[in-house]
Amino acid sequence: MISKTFLVTIMLIGFSHITVRAQKEKDNYTTLKTGILDLVNKHRAGMGLKPLKMNEVAEKAAEQHSHNMATKKIPFGHDGFDARMAGISKKLNGATGWAENVAMGPETAEQAVDMWLHSAGHKKNIEGDYNLTGIGIVKNANGDLYYTQIFVNKRN
């Protein structure tokens, strides 16, 4: 017969493994987000544009959109864009413009940004008159990564 202590120990080890794996995945997403921001800002600098700064409000909206796409709550794309931007605008007094890039599949920041830079509409967003950004990355059950980058122009 298995003791309760043994079962609790096994459960804690299992939970600890899940927690470590979740933390490692979160760290990977942080690295991806930082990489995307660095590459986008490097491109913008080459165009004589000011760098984008991460913004928590835009980041939360981007994360939620990526989650909704990854879980098939909405189709891949820009469904709900106007509502997302209205929500950001309410929270960021002085927001005067916004745009959004999405991607599915790239495994590195370089692949995601390269894909966007080879698409006229996405490139236009990267090079637009924006000063804030938020990036959200979520993995679906099949292991596919969904990306959202939101761009915001906010008067200071």
Side-chain angles (χ1 to χ4, degrees):
M1 189 163 180
I2 299 175
S3 73
K4 288 182 184 178
T5 304
F6 178 75
L7 285 176
V8 168
T9 301
I10 293 298
M11 288 171 52
L12 287 174
I13 290 170
F15 178 73
S16 175
H17 178 69
I18 291 168
T19 303
V20 168
R21 187 173 59 212
Q23 183 60 46
K24 188 174 182 180
E25 198 162 273
K26 182 179 177 185
D27 291 345
N28 287 342
Y29 295 156
T30 300
T31 300
L32 279 171
K33 289 177 187 182
T34 300
I36 289 170
L37 180 62
D38 290 346
L39 290 166
V40 165
N41 279 338
K42 182 178 179 183
H43 177 80
R44 287 175 61 86
M47 303 294 296
L49 301 168
K50 292 181 181 179
L52 301 172
K53 295 179 185 171
M54 286 295 284
N55 175 270
E56 188 176 329
V57 172
E59 186 172 18
K60 285 181 181 180
E63 190 80 26
Q64 184 63 52
H65 185 58
S66 290
H67 172 78
N68 289 344
M69 291 186 298
T71 59
K72 306 290 187 213
K73 184 175 181 181
I74 61 170
F76 174 75
H78 300 285
D79 282 15
F81 174 79
D82 291 336
R84 248 184 326 286
M85 297 313 120
I88 291 170
S89 185
K90 266 186 192 178
K91 293 177 183 175
L92 292 179
N93 189 25
T96 60
W98 36 81
E100 176 180 83
N101 286 351
V102 296
M104 180 185 73
E107 295 182 12
T108 67
E110 291 82 3
Q111 290 171 340
V113 173
D114 185 61
M115 186 167 52
W116 287 332
L117 289 174
H118 284 90
S119 162
H122 294 102
K123 184 178 181 188
K124 181 179 176 183
N125 292 341
I126 288 171
E127 296 174 355
D129 185 19
Y130 305 109
N131 56 2
L132 301 177
T133 192
I135 302 167
I137 304 168
V138 174
K139 185 186 290 188
N140 73 3
N142 295 329
D144 301 314
L145 292 173
Y146 286 76
Y147 298 76
T148 303
Q149 182 171 18
I150 293 174
F151 304 88
V152 179
N153 183 10
K154 181 180 181 300
R155 295 181 306 244
N156 294 326

